[in-house]
Amino acid sequence: MARYAMVIDTRKCSGCQSCTVACRVNNELPIDMIYNPVTTHGPIGKFPHVRMVHLPLLCMHCGNSPCVDACPTGASQQREDGIVWVEESKCVGCKTCIMVCPYGARVTNAKKGTVQKCNFCKDERVDQGKVPWCVQTCHQKARVFGDIEDKDSEVYRLVNTTKTTGRLLEELDTEPFVYYLY
Ligand code: SF4
Ligand code: SF4
């Protein structure tokens, strides 16, 4: 069984937000909802070697996912391949998952009264053998998606051969499966 992960190379990301737009369009999100914002920080470094850092954010598809544990109806679920998703018909909009997610990855759909989030485009892309829209769209090739259990995969190679690899809020033991290269 695969274990899906995403690697984001912050050295390649230009902050163009094409991924954000591709996600919103293809997931038909209302104007007030975003699954994968790109934040910008800096400048970092010492003059003249300074740069801005762009940090794309999304659901981390945590190995220890507090949102799944906390959901009172079973709407928040995790597949065997690691993808965390929300079954809309079971979501009562209580927002418990929003409160326990340390990454701010979940948003409320005000019209539907349900909570939604990135699911790695599981139905339209991953289950059809394709990469998520944000990966497909990134012209900088800053995003890589794949099976991190597969030693021949690009995500495995990048995580295991790049010295400067990190995950967000690792100290919380949520075991995020989005890795950042910096
Ligand atoms: Fe960065 Fe690629 Fe997203 Fe542009 S599309 S913001 S380069 S990750
Ligand atoms: Fe759940 Fe948040 Fe982790 Fe995604 S990032 S799996 S929503 S706790």
Side-chain angles (χ1 to χ4, degrees), residues 33 86 88-89 91-93 107-116:
M33 289 178 68
V86 181
E88 193 180 306
S89 62
C91 177
V92 293
V107 281
T108 303
N109 185 319
K111 208 170 174 185
K112 293 181 176 176
T114 56
V115 172
Q116 296 175 206

Side-chain angles (χ1 to χ4, degrees), residues 58-62 65-68 84 100-103 105-106 117:
L58 70 159
C59 172
M60 303 285 146
H61 296 274
C62 305
S65 43
C67 56
V68 174
V84 175
V100 300
C101 171
Y103 301 97
R106 290 173 171 254
K117 57 176 274 303

Side-chain angles (χ1 to χ4, degrees), residues 7-142:
V7 175
I8 300 177
D9 192 335
T10 61
R11 300 163 303 185
K12 291 183 177 174
C13 177
S14 64
C16 71
Q17 303 190 39
S18 298
C19 49
T20 308
V21 174
C23 173
R24 290 180 74 171
V25 170
N26 286 289
N27 286 294
E28 299 179 349
L29 299 184
I31 194 74
D32 58 343
M33 289 178 68
I34 294 180
Y35 288 170
N36 62 346
V38 179
T39 60
T40 298
H41 310 268
I44 62 164
K46 273 191 181 172
F47 182 84
H49 304 292
V50 292
R51 69 178 180 116
M52 303 299 284
V53 176
H54 306 291
L55 192 69
L57 301 171
L58 70 159
C59 172
M60 303 285 146
H61 296 274
C62 305
N64 293 320
S65 43
C67 56
V68 174
D69 294 342
C71 177
T73 68
S76 285
Q77 302 167 41
Q78 188 158 34
R79 306 198 320 185
E80 276 187 45
D81 59 16
I83 294 179
V84 175
W85 64 292
V86 181
E87 189 172 344
E88 193 180 306
S89 62
K90 289 185 180 174
C91 177
V92 293
C94 68
K95 303 182 186 175
T96 306
C97 55
I98 292 180
M99 287 187 278
V100 300
C101 171
Y103 301 97
R106 290 173 171 254
V107 281
T108 303
N109 185 319
K111 208 170 174 185
K112 293 181 176 176
T114 56
V115 172
Q116 296 175 206
K117 57 176 274 303
C118 156
N119 64 10
F120 276 162
C121 305
K122 65 179 177 61
D123 298 313
E124 313 80 14
R125 303 290 298 176
V126 174
D127 290 349
Q128 314 303 324
K130 302 170 183 171
V131 296
W133 280 114
C134 57
V135 178
Q136 176 74 22
T137 305
C138 180
H139 53 88
Q140 296 289 97
K141 308 288 182 210

